[in-house]
Amino acid sequence: MAENNTHLKPSKPPIWNDPKYRSLFFQALLMFGLGLFIYTIVQNTLTNMEARGISTGFAFMSEKSGFDILQSLIPFNSDSTYGRTFIVGILNTLLVSALGIFFATILGFLIGVARLSNNWLLSKIATVYIETFRNIPLLIQIFFWYIVVLRAMPSARNSHSLFDSFFLNVRGLYLPAPVTESGFIYTVITFIIALIAVFILKNWAKKRQEATGQPFPVLLTSLGLLILAPLLVFLVTGSPLTWDVPVLKGFNFKGGISVIPELFALLLALTIYTAAFIAEIVRSGIKAVSHGQTEAALSLGLTPSQTLRFVVIPQAMRVIIPPMTSQYLNLLKNSSLATAIGYPDLVSVFMGTTLNQTGQAVEIIMMTMTVYLTFSLLISAFMNWYNAKMALTER
Amino acid sequence: MSEANKQTDQKFALQMINVNKWYGDFHVLKDINLDVTQGERIVICGPSGSGKSTVIRCINHLEEHQQGQIIVDGIEITGDVKQLEKLRTDVGMCFQHFNLFPHLSILDNLTLAPRWVKKIPKAEAEATAMKYLERVKIPDQANKFPGQLSGGQQQRVAIARSLCMDPKVMLFDEPTSALDPEMISEVLDVMIELADEGGMTMLCVTHEMGFAKQVADRVIFMDAGQIIEENTPNEFFNNPQSERTQLFLSQIIAH
Amino acid sequence: MYITDKILPELPAPSSSKGVLHWLKTNLFSSPVNILITFLGLFLIYKIVPPAIQWAFIDATWVADTREECLGEGKGACWAYISNRFGQVMYGFYPPEEYWRPNLAGILLILLTSLLFIKQMPKKVWIGAFILLVFPFIAYFLIHGGSFGLSEVGTDKWGGLMLTLIISLVGIAAALPLGIILALGRRSTMPVVKSICVIFIEFWRGVPLITVLFMASVMLPLFLPEGSDFDKLARAMIGIILFQAAYVAEVVRGGLQAIPKGQYEASVAMGLSYWKSMNLIILPQALKLVIPGLVNTFIALFKDTTLVLIIGLFDLLAIIENVLGSDSSWLGFFTEGLVFAAFVFWIFCFSMSRYSMALERKLDTGHKH
Ligand SMILES: Nc1ncnc2c1ncn2[C@@H]1O[C@H](COP(=O)(O)OP(=O)(O)O)[C@@H](O)[C@H]1O
Ligand SMILES: [Mg+2]
């Protein structure tokens, strides 16, 4: 009896009650529903666009734009195409985001560390900073810097100036621009050589420490090498670098680097807002390293600075980096608020002006979203890679 | 013993003279007096919150005392930075929760301090590390990370990590109380071996009475921030004098 | 051998380790660098705080009938700029004689939610469901009107703080169920369901809200059959809800992940169906865990509602920036407007973040026991 049964498969429920078929059926239904939904939308859109006389396709990308852009990193004028507008917008978005990420990281780290300081006053000031700026909408902060602070700057004639070469007025920020002369290339070459030398030095110092136990002050020597060697060459070759200092001509400054007030205000707001979040991340990252770790390191005889370098910072960074990258992504997305004050970022020049002029909403909005999605996916990919790498070296 | 020995005597590995400590307004250590000769093995016990950890932590200056003197190897602890470095290389410490560095491999955990504090070449530091890993019987785990080890193995690594610095005094703060019962003996065995080799001054906070009987030269009982009773293990366990000691011992045995 | 049974008295700490002076020394003047930092900090406070107080309170004009009364030597902030048109700031273009309607809806909501905070309240789930499912319709009938003898007030008249609150509350209330479904879907074993949810969530989380609002206001009308047009606020709401649902889904997913596997297995072993085990066992636990996270996404949404000004809705910030700011008889008080808006948002966001932190602490200790 039992022997016969071993060849039988376990009996199955009727097909409509089998969980496997149920789930297959449900998924098929879902796919069908979704397909129908998308089909309806596409059909509706096509009829609507035809009814309104909106053209479709990407032909508009090679049409002449007919407008000027306040700031562009590549040559642009009203004869340029919408395609070029798209590029200018992306570059401007990347410019303000990169600068914002740079400054927000520095400021955020400083404030996060200040918040943990054993100086009561400093830690309270850092707390007030964090609680103030992260609880006020970014848009309000952008308006504040743009309209209340920068608009209240004096006219060009009465600019605030620093060393007579940096000027801040209602038209923006003016900085001296470096102008290189023929011999400057030697300084650049020296700098590159110094960079390579630092690299070699680092390896050598590591090897020597391993071999003899003697540490070498790599950081100090590298800094010295990187600064002094190029400086020496620079002086020997007769200082082949001049500064193009902005000068007041008529109603405005000419020469130098000018930062338009829109960029300046947006950068200020993004930096200050994001730094508040980064500060919290840094603080909790450092606090996540248990006190026992510090005590263990100290009781082995490591100095406080060695404890920081070998024990606290490496562990804190693992906690800090993932949320930090998502703050960077937030900053990039938040830079789209540029459109509220007219900084020519992607949303402002493409989804704003170009959309208004061509009316091709579907293509333009999709393209804009694709740009942001691409950056998001890149950053997520980095994060996954980083987490996988950390998981490997932990367990 | 009740008369504090004001002279710093070289034969003492460690002296505590009238040490008082407060946490805020809380008087946590009261007039602690303790002389430990070189190579002596001392077990400290007492109810939780009695100040055992605080005593241990004052000895390598993880905590600061406010009154009295602590003299290690003939030098009074002041908190001077240079002196602190030497103090901590002379005094090794094992924690209840091991406190291994989770981001470093076992070998790197062991060589970090020798390489950067004692400035020993890497190869040499690794050889020493392997020697101590063998002594604590886990040389095959050298390239793993702390998270991959059991609690007992982690504590043995922690002991090896301290030994790599070649300390004169070893402090243990309840090294087995965070461990599952079946792992306690593997750690105690390592500690017993260390004690049997002789030469190492050991102060160990523990409630493992078997261990105390086997290796301790003296048992110290603490309660309410002071030393209540101090005696040879034999006398201490078989003939406790103070009422508090008797109460404490009866509770431990009841468990 | 040493024995004592005498317990020494607790002595007060030596004066060098306590008291005001000790506190000052350890917390402000412990090293030369710290002394320098302390003085720099004091200087910074001195530079910012007294002038700010002077401007905002001491020299401020609280009541004024005309712009001129706010101007002149030594005059600070002109709060009359706000208070004279407080109605608009709060309600936008809503007819003043009908203010009682949104007020009533607001009071009702506050009463209902405060029931949730009473410890011994029975049937909290039903009250919650009532707030989420029934109350929105009551509020809509009250505020929009057009039936039961109430005059109709179109959404184009809604504005100010009222609109800000409506957008954020409706946004979170509608995003919550959608987000929960998405979170469950993302953890589903059915590949089609899982990938649809992943794509949906990652799409909305990957794009800025502005592009979503543009999409809702420009593209959405194209998606619908010809002739079916609905108003600007509803379109913006759809965009905000979808956007918010993706963030809610990620928070809820975190909560679902935190539930130990044993709980899932136990509920299956009890013979519960998928939906029963989710509703009765898993979700109640997970949602309790994620309340702080949900409050945080709500704070983010609340701040983000200011973006609707870009597509031409009149929330609090838009009223202050576009309506008050362009009134020619009150030109030049933009700062006051922004400071007021910032203050209002700050109060809301700060108190909510404190609440979420307190909850987090409570949950933290709750879990250890
Ligand atoms: N950092 C601290 N701040 C304030 N009180 C502390 C601190 N550390 C320990 N204590 C208190 O000091 C007493 C002694 O602690 P401890 O030395 O850890 O006791 P034991 O190790 O004997 O259990 C306890 O009552 C404890 O609560
Ligand atoms: Mg203890």
Side-chain angles (χ1 to χ4, degrees):
Chain A
M1 203 43 199
E3 269 166 35
N4 284 346
N5 273 351
T6 50
H7 296 291
L8 287 179
K9 286 184 182 160
S11 52
K12 286 195 168 175
I15 203 164
W16 57 89
N17 264 350
D18 187 332
K20 223 167 73 195
Y21 288 103
R22 275 191 160 201
S23 112
L24 271 180
F25 175 72
F26 177 66
Q27 296 186 60
L29 200 70
L30 194 69
M31 288 256 264
F32 178 74
L34 195 69
L36 199 68
F37 180 68
I38 291 174
Y39 175 79
T40 323
I41 283 183
V42 171
Q43 282 305 315
N44 282 342
T45 310
L46 288 178
T47 18
N48 280 329
M49 295 219 290
E50 213 177 276
R52 297 182 197 189
I54 304 172
S55 46
T56 49
F58 291 91
F60 74 97
M61 291 292 280
S62 46
E63 280 167 28
K64 229 163 72 168
S65 68
F67 60 86
D68 259 325
I69 294 182
L70 208 52
Q71 168 199 294
S72 75
L73 297 177
I74 52 173
F76 186 90
N77 59 39
S78 50
D79 285 336
S80 306
T81 59
Y82 286 125
R84 208 169 171 86
T85 310
F86 182 63
I87 305 293
V88 169
I90 293 179
L91 289 177
N92 281 341
T93 290
L94 288 180
L95 175 72
V96 71
S97 304
L99 290 173
I101 285 171
F102 177 75
F103 290 118
T105 306
I106 295 176
L107 187 61
F109 262 90
L110 288 178
I111 291 170
V113 172
R115 170 111 202 238
L116 290 173
S117 159
N118 58 9
N119 186 314
W120 181 86
L121 187 65
L122 185 62
S123 115
K124 282 290 168 280
I125 290 177
T127 310
V128 170
Y129 174 97
I130 294 170
E131 293 300 352
T132 306
F133 288 108
R134 71 172 182 176
N135 285 318
I136 296 176
L138 178 60
L139 192 56
I140 294 184
Q141 297 191 38
I142 293 175
F143 281 141
F144 179 80
W145 295 113
Y146 186 58
I147 300 173
V148 175
V149 177
L150 291 186
R151 280 283 165 77
M153 286 294 150
S155 67
R157 281 176 186 285
N158 306 312
S159 299
H160 293 299
S161 74
L162 191 66
F163 311 126
D164 267 332
S165 30
F166 297 83
F167 301 92
L168 183 62
N169 61 47
V170 71
R171 303 230 180 156
L173 179 69
Y174 294 83
L175 319 163
V179 179
T180 57
E181 285 161 23
S182 56
F184 190 69
I185 186 74
Y186 297 113
T187 308
V188 176
I189 292 173
T190 318
F191 182 76
I192 294 170
I193 292 175
L195 216 57
I196 297 168
V198 163
F199 202 72
I200 295 169
L201 182 76
K202 220 184 116 194
N203 269 328
W204 170 82
K206 187 166 173 248
K207 286 228 178 69
R208 190 184 80 147
Q209 205 280 332
E210 281 173 7
T212 68
Q214 289 309 308
F216 187 83
V218 178
L219 193 70
L220 268 179
T221 19
S222 313
L223 275 180
L225 205 62
L226 284 176
I227 296 170
L228 291 181
L231 191 68
L232 199 70
V233 173
F234 178 73
L235 293 176
V236 166
T237 50
S239 312
L241 177 81
T242 52
W243 291 95
D244 177 18
V245 177
V247 283
L248 189 62
K249 289 232 178 77
F251 292 112
N252 207 351
F253 280 90
K254 292 265 160 13
I257 300 171
S258 69
V259 181
I260 56 174
E262 290 77 15
L263 173 59
F264 192 45
L266 185 63
L267 187 57
L268 261 178
L270 284 173
T271 302
I272 289 174
Y273 183 72
T274 313
F277 290 90
I278 292 182
E280 272 300 277
I281 291 170
V282 169
R283 182 187 75 103
S284 50
I286 295 176
K287 277 189 76 175
V289 183
S290 76
H291 197 53
Q293 290 289 310
T294 320
E295 289 189 339
L298 289 176
S299 71
L300 283 169
L302 294 172
T303 62
S305 64
Q306 284 173 332
T307 303
L308 267 184
R309 179 175 153 203
F310 295 120
V311 177
V312 179
I313 293 177
Q315 292 186 56
M317 285 320 269
R318 285 156 194 244
V319 184
I320 290 173
I321 285 177
M324 188 88 122
T325 40
S326 68
Q327 280 306 321
Y328 290 168
L329 189 57
N330 280 347
L331 190 146
L332 178 88
K333 289 190 284 178
N334 283 335
S335 73
S336 60
L337 295 193
T339 177
I341 55 168
Y343 171 76
D345 81 319
L346 178 63
V347 168
S348 171
V349 296
F350 198 61
M351 218 168 69
T353 321
T354 308
L355 176 65
N356 267 339
Q357 294 193 0
T358 61
Q360 292 197 272
V362 177
E363 293 85 348
I364 287 178
I365 290 176
M366 283 302 148
M367 280 173 76
T368 312
M369 285 184 155
T370 308
V371 171
Y372 286 103
L373 274 177
T374 311
F375 289 124
S376 302
L377 291 181
L378 284 178
I379 289 186
S380 312
F382 164 78
M383 221 132 75
N384 288 342
W385 169 81
Y386 180 82
N387 286 338
K389 195 183 129 190
M390 284 306 130
L392 263 185
T393 50
E394 193 102 326
R395 267 152 233 292
Chain B
M1 182 62 215
S2 54
E3 286 298 298
N5 185 352
K6 296 285 173 201
Q7 266 179 337
T8 59
D9 197 323
Q10 194 55 47
K11 85 176 195 313
F12 289 123
L14 164 73
Q15 275 185 300
M16 297 180 87
I17 304 168
N18 281 330
V19 172
N20 277 285
K21 171 164 179 63
W22 287 262
Y23 281 124
D25 274 332
F26 175 49
H27 198 169
V28 54
L29 295 184
K30 300 173 190 163
D31 276 342
I32 301 290
N33 283 294
L34 179 65
D35 291 350
V36 183
T37 49
Q38 256 157 32
E40 206 178 0
R41 298 169 299 240
I42 291 187
V43 162
I44 304 177
C45 59
S48 149
S50 55
K52 307 178 298 289
S53 300
T54 312
V55 167
I56 292 276
R57 292 156 59 82
C58 280
I59 294 172
N60 70 352
H61 208 69
L62 286 176
E63 298 287 352
E64 211 165 346
H65 60 285
Q66 281 111 6
Q67 283 176 0
Q69 287 177 299
I70 298 177
I71 298 158
V72 176
D73 204 20
I75 302 163
E76 188 186 343
I77 302 177
T78 57
D80 173 275
V81 182
K82 275 280 153 250
Q83 187 209 56
L84 215 56
E85 212 172 294
K86 179 175 172 340
L87 167 76
R88 285 175 177 158
T89 47
D90 283 351
V91 178
M93 173 143 181
C94 283
F95 300 84
Q96 184 175 357
H97 297 285
F98 338 131
N99 296 349
L100 294 180
F101 307 130
H103 62 298
L104 298 178
S105 71
I106 300 302
L107 199 58
D108 289 342
N109 261 282
L110 265 64
T111 55
L112 180 71
R115 284 183 57 198
W116 293 96
V117 178
K118 291 203 153 169
K119 317 238 155 63
I120 293 170
K122 188 180 179 192
E124 199 179 309
E126 283 180 350
T128 318
M130 285 314 295
K131 190 182 89 189
Y132 282 111
L133 278 181
E134 247 148 65
R135 268 180 58 176
V136 300
K137 306 187 187 64
I138 32 177
D140 46 333
Q141 313 283 0
N143 292 314
K144 289 197 178 160
F145 284 84
Q148 295 166 300
L149 268 53
S150 72
Q153 290 174 322
Q154 289 194 41
Q155 191 61 292
R156 285 185 277 152
V157 171
I159 294 173
R161 180 174 71 175
S162 295
L163 292 178
C164 280
M165 290 299 281
D166 203 11
K168 299 196 173 87
V169 179
M170 276 294 287
L171 309 173
F172 297 86
D173 190 359
E174 307 203 26
T176 55
S177 57
L179 296 177
D180 292 338
E182 74 271 17
M183 293 171 183
I184 292 181
S185 66
E186 65 187 58
V187 172
L188 288 181
D189 285 347
V190 164
M191 291 171 62
I192 292 169
E193 242 173 66
L194 183 66
D196 287 347
E197 274 168 29
M200 178 73 75
T201 312
M202 288 166 74
L203 271 85
C204 184
V205 176
T206 182
H207 293 155
E208 294 296 331
M209 293 307 141
F211 172 78
K213 283 177 192 156
Q214 191 174 347
V215 305
D217 297 318
R218 256 192 295 164
V219 179
I220 288 175
F221 174 71
M222 282 188 73
D223 196 1
Q226 62 189 79
I227 295 177
I228 299 288
E229 183 159 350
E230 186 190 314
N231 220 326
T232 58
N234 207 359
E235 279 292 300
F236 182 85
F237 291 112
N238 299 329
N239 191 14
Q241 301 290 312
S242 142
E243 259 172 52
R244 285 168 180 260
T245 318
Q246 289 160 5
L247 183 68
F248 174 73
L249 285 177
S250 69
Q251 278 166 348
I252 282 206
I253 290 160
H255 263 260
Chain C
M1 192 178 96
Y2 167 85
I3 295 147
T4 179
D5 252 340
K6 198 183 78 192
I7 292 296
L8 297 170
E10 294 244 343
L11 297 176
S15 61
S16 63
S17 69
K18 62 170 198 181
V20 179
L21 277 179
H22 171 72
W23 187 90
L24 286 176
K25 188 167 178 300
T26 47
N27 291 300
L28 292 176
F29 303 107
S30 58
S31 68
V33 181
N34 262 333
I35 293 173
L36 186 73
I37 290 174
T38 301
F39 280 111
L40 280 177
L42 287 175
F43 180 71
L44 188 76
I45 293 172
Y46 169 75
K47 275 302 211 191
I48 294 176
V49 177
I53 291 178
Q54 186 85 19
W55 177 82
F57 299 105
I58 298 172
D59 292 344
T61 312
W62 298 89
V63 258
D65 292 325
T66 61
R67 170 177 188 272
E68 279 64 36
E69 288 173 54
C70 281
L71 300 174
E73 262 318 277
K75 294 267 183 166
C78 178
W79 298 123
Y81 174 73
I82 303 286
S83 57
N84 281 1
R85 284 159 302 172
F86 199 64
Q88 273 190 359
V89 172
M90 300 308 271
Y91 304 94
F93 309 111
Y94 207 85
E97 63 278 8
E98 307 286 346
Y99 283 171
W100 64 272
R101 283 156 53 179
N103 287 349
L104 184 62
I107 291 170
L108 218 64
L109 180 62
I110 292 172
L111 285 180
L112 281 171
T113 23
S114 54
L115 286 184
L116 289 179
F117 287 86
I118 299 174
K119 265 224 174 75
Q120 275 85 32
M121 198 67 203
K123 303 246 165 32
K124 275 192 185 177
V125 182
W126 289 106
I127 300 173
F130 185 82
I131 294 175
L132 279 180
L133 301 176
V134 183
F135 176 76
F137 295 97
I138 299 176
Y140 182 78
F141 279 122
L142 266 174
I143 298 173
H144 185 267
S147 50
F148 298 115
L150 293 176
S151 61
E152 183 175 331
V153 183
T155 58
D156 54 329
K157 299 234 167 38
W158 302 8
L161 183 62
M162 179 185 90
L163 185 65
T164 299
L165 289 173
I166 289 177
I167 293 176
S168 43
L169 290 176
V170 174
I172 192 75
L176 205 56
L178 188 55
I180 292 173
I181 292 174
L182 285 169
L184 291 176
R186 194 171 182 163
R187 287 170 62 83
S188 162
T189 46
M190 292 183 258
V192 174
V193 175
K194 186 176 172 161
S195 25
I196 290 175
C197 290
V198 168
I199 292 172
F200 186 92
I201 293 172
E202 293 307 324
F203 173 78
W204 296 107
R205 278 163 37 93
V207 296
L209 182 57
I210 288 199
T211 57
V212 175
L213 290 173
F214 264 89
M215 184 167 150
S217 71
V218 186
M219 257 165 84
L220 200 59
L222 295 176
F223 289 166
L224 299 168
E226 266 199 286
S228 62
D229 203 17
F230 50 101
D231 68 60
K232 208 192 248 176
L233 177 60
R235 292 198 306 252
M237 282 309 323
I238 291 176
I240 288 176
I241 289 167
L242 295 177
F243 183 79
Q244 188 65 13
Y247 285 86
V248 169
E250 282 305 276
V251 174
V252 173
R253 184 166 74 115
L256 289 173
Q257 268 165 352
I259 303 291
K261 215 173 161 206
Q263 297 281 323
Y264 288 92
E265 282 160 5
S267 57
V268 171
M270 280 166 67
L272 294 176
S273 73
Y274 176 81
W275 286 108
K276 275 216 178 102
S277 74
M278 280 300 152
N279 281 332
L280 294 176
I281 298 182
I282 308 298
L283 275 179
Q285 295 184 47
L287 289 183
K288 206 173 148 196
L289 279 183
V290 298
I291 293 175
L294 289 176
V295 175
N296 287 340
T297 58
F298 179 68
I299 295 173
L301 170 66
F302 190 71
K303 288 187 288 178
D304 277 349
T305 54
T306 49
L307 302 200
V308 299
L309 88 81
I310 292 169
I311 57 164
L313 291 172
F314 286 99
D315 77 316
L316 176 67
L317 182 60
I319 288 278
I320 283 172
E321 135 117 9
N322 295 346
V323 180
L324 303 197
S326 58
D327 181 344
S328 57
S329 56
W330 281 95
L331 283 183
F333 299 111
F334 204 82
T335 312
E336 282 83 344
L338 271 187
V339 169
F340 177 77
F343 179 70
V344 172
F345 276 101
W346 187 84
I347 293 278
F348 275 98
C349 296
F350 181 72
S351 40
M352 285 189 287
S353 77
R354 285 288 128 148
Y355 171 67
S356 119
M357 272 159 70
L359 264 184
E360 222 162 319
R361 257 196 301 273
K362 213 173 110 194
L363 285 176
D364 227 28
T365 50
H367 249 246
K368 274 181 199 141
H369 288 291

